[in-house]
Amino acid sequence: MLGATLLAVPVTADAAAVPTAPAARPATAAAPGLDDPAKKEIAMQIVSSAENSSLDWKAQYKYIEDIDDGRGYTAGIIGFCSGTGDMLDLVEYYSRIKPGNVLEKYLPALRRVDGTDSHQGLDPNFTRDWATAAKDSAFRRAQDHERDRVYFDPAVKQGKADGVGVLGQFIYYDAIVMHGDGDDPTSFRNIRRKALAKAKPPSRGGDEKAYLNAFLDARVWAMKQEEAHSDTSRVDTAQRVFLRKGNLGLNTPLDWKVYGDPYHIG
């Protein structure tokens, strides 16, 4: 027993000498990006206020009309156009996931009118069949898929690479929705190029607000190059408002106007 006691003493002493590790600090949660579900919902509502004069973006799957902007039919939740290729891509994808759907028969016509404002081969029943397709959950999923693949995901990826927050990512998204990301001077990539010539993004050590203002300046220039987009209120009385308030996280409540109409997200 004595031996056991003597052996136990140094063990106890050594244990007491071991410093207690400091309590781990709770990890700081990363700031959400525009791809956070709650932020994405806000983005969809703001874009819908400009594209459809409504916050109810989910009611727009069935939307279709020719708005006389030279792009043929404009339709769906993000304004897919028969004249710009993204509507063709959408119907091709829909036909892959649901062969024999009501729009599949229009694929030859959509290929022919791509790049034009023509309705040849689409009228008189295309708008009716689009509305029918919009009742199909597979078509709604197809619209979501193509919106994300072509517009939303590239905008968020580039925004994160440039070091801008949720508002900046939304500014990118709204620009790519309207202008696409082609090679023409008013495309998203060239709007961004003009902005980079004026200011550095945060990823290069620049001030975020200064850079986003430069981007919006370039965006307004691009919008004014085309009569159909010459009303710049979706920038002036919406995105600029959020930026002036320093709301780089696009946090609610949000109040803005588009085409003079007021909107609110609480």
Side-chain angles (χ1 to χ4, degrees):
M1 291 293 295
L2 179 59
T5 303
L6 290 174
L7 286 171
V9 171
V11 172
T12 303
D14 287 346
V18 176
T20 303
R25 293 182 179 179
T28 302
L34 194 66
D35 48 355
D36 173 85
K39 297 295 186 181
K40 186 174 184 178
E41 176 66 21
I42 290 170
M44 296 304 111
Q45 292 182 59
I46 298 173
V47 169
S48 184
S49 74
E51 295 285 326
N52 303 102
S53 299
S54 169
L55 297 183
D56 187 5
W57 68 270
K58 292 180 181 178
Q60 311 310 323
Y61 290 106
K62 65 181 183 295
Y63 163 77
I64 182 167
E65 67 176 322
D66 190 326
I67 60 175
D68 296 320
D69 64 351
R71 292 174 171 82
Y73 280 118
T74 296
I77 57 172
I78 210 65
F80 301 101
C81 295
S82 60
T84 62
D86 57 352
M87 183 181 286
L88 171 59
D89 289 346
L90 168 63
V91 178
E92 286 180 336
Y93 178 74
Y94 180 36
S95 297
R96 287 200 300 274
I97 65 173
K98 188 169 184 178
N101 68 73
V102 70
L103 296 180
E104 188 171 26
K105 62 181 175 285
Y106 294 104
L107 282 172
L110 287 170
R111 293 184 182 111
R112 286 195 302 269
V113 303
D114 187 18
T116 77
D117 62 356
S118 174
H119 295 182
Q120 186 176 4
L122 300 176
D123 290 343
N125 296 322
F126 184 63
T127 57
R128 183 196 65 190
D129 288 341
W130 183 280
T132 298
K135 298 174 184 177
D136 180 8
S137 61
F139 185 51
R140 296 193 295 273
R141 289 197 304 273
Q143 289 196 39
D144 292 344
H145 177 275
E146 288 299 287
R147 172 202 61 200
D148 290 350
R149 181 184 71 85
V150 180
Y151 301 108
F152 188 82
D153 292 348
V156 171
K157 182 179 180 180
Q158 186 62 67
K160 289 182 176 182
D162 288 340
V164 298
V166 177
L167 175 59
Q169 293 163 35
F170 172 75
I171 286 172
Y172 277 16
Y173 173 54
D174 191 65
I176 201 171
V177 163
M178 175 176 281
H179 303 281
D181 196 24
D183 295 323
D184 55 288
T186 60
S187 69
F188 168 75
R189 70 182 62 187
N190 284 313
I191 292 172
R192 178 174 171 270
R193 187 172 291 122
K194 286 175 72 72
L196 291 171
K198 298 291 185 180
K200 292 181 181 179
S203 62
R204 302 182 191 179
D207 177 78
E208 185 169 3
K209 289 182 71 174
Y211 171 70
L212 291 177
N213 268 311
F215 185 91
L216 290 178
D217 288 344
R219 169 81 190 281
V220 167
W221 171 85
M223 291 174 73
K224 289 183 175 179
Q225 304 311 301
E226 187 176 355
E227 179 61 31
H229 294 154
S230 59
D231 185 323
T232 59
S233 64
R234 67 196 290 161
V235 170
D236 302 332
T237 56
Q239 296 169 41
R240 294 270 197 200
V241 172
F242 308 146
L243 186 56
R244 280 197 299 269
K245 291 182 177 179
N247 190 357
L248 299 176
L250 202 60
N251 299 314
T252 55
L254 293 167
D255 291 280
W256 73 98
K257 292 182 180 180
V258 183
Y259 312 131
D261 297 328
Y263 296 94
H264 172 80
I265 299 176

